[in-house]
Amino acid sequence: MNLVRLPVLGFAAVFVAATACTNTGDASDGPTDPTTPATAPTPAPEQIDDPEEAAIAAYTRYWDTVMAAFAAPDGDFSDFEAIASGQALEQAQAIEQRGLDEGVHGAGTLRHNITIKDSLLTDEVQQVVVTDCADSTDTQVLDAEGNPVAGEEYGYQEVQARMEFVDQRWMVTVMAVQDFGSCSPDP
């Protein structure tokens, strides 16, 4: 397998894909309370035997953690170090920092259509690249009063993430979020 370094995207593209919690399921009438879980918790990736399934669970954990932090930004970035490193860690921190700097927060449900794009699984290396057609249409960026922030975009975006098993845990190390319309939902 030839893992290609995914491009580093601008902050705006990463932020828009992360404007909500990560639940999969049916569309709702609008944004939901991000603190109310809609589904049973996903097992910790390290508790999943299949490496590809574990990588998908780690990808989901990444967005769950990022969006919980963005729902109520407090400047404590310590949870991110358990889920990401490198460029993906910087992106997670930038999302919460935007909330602090601009006084905004996220609400709603980010829906996923995750597939495995590539994997390298040996005794020495465990890397998986996941592709997601993330749907942010049921999300919002809200100001301090709870009003939608003008100028935000929502829709379908392809996300690719490199997942790596490092120090006995699955982590996101590189994440690339493409432009709106870069993917479409399955029929």
Side-chain angles (χ1 to χ4, degrees), residues 8 26 68 79:
V8 176
D26 299 331
D79 287 346

Side-chain angles (χ1 to χ4, degrees), residues 10-108:
F11 174 72
V14 171
F15 170 74
V16 174
T19 56
C21 289
T22 58
N23 296 314
T24 57
D26 299 331
S28 65
D29 292 335
T32 59
D33 180 354
T35 61
T36 305
T39 59
T42 303
E46 294 74 22
Q47 296 174 338
I48 300 172
D49 291 333
D50 181 88
E52 291 182 346
E53 288 179 21
I56 290 172
Y59 174 81
T60 301
R61 175 179 64 184
Y62 176 89
W63 286 117
D64 288 344
T65 304
V66 168
M67 291 321 303
F70 188 60
D74 64 5
D76 179 5
F77 301 131
S78 60
D79 287 346
F80 298 145
E81 294 172 4
I83 61 165
S85 66
Q87 179 262 348
L89 175 61
E90 292 170 6
Q91 287 182 337
Q93 292 168 333
I95 292 165
E96 183 171 356
Q97 190 62 52
R98 179 192 179 198
L100 293 169
D101 293 347
E102 297 179 20
V104 298
H105 64 279

Side-chain angles (χ1 to χ4, degrees), residues 4-18 59 63 87 91 110 117 129-136 153-162 174-184:
V4 177
R5 177 150 176 91
L6 300 173
V8 176
L9 294 182
F11 174 72
V14 171
F15 170 74
V16 174
Y59 174 81
W63 286 117
Q87 179 262 348
Q91 287 182 337
L110 181 66
K117 180 177 180 176
V129 176
V130 299
T131 299
D132 181 14
C133 185
D135 173 8
S136 63
E153 291 184 75
Y154 309 99
Y156 293 93
Q157 292 177 281
E158 182 178 304
V159 180
Q160 290 187 15
R162 181 186 304 155
V174 179
M175 179 161 310
V177 180
Q178 306 304 318
D179 293 332
F180 288 106
S182 55
C183 65
S184 59

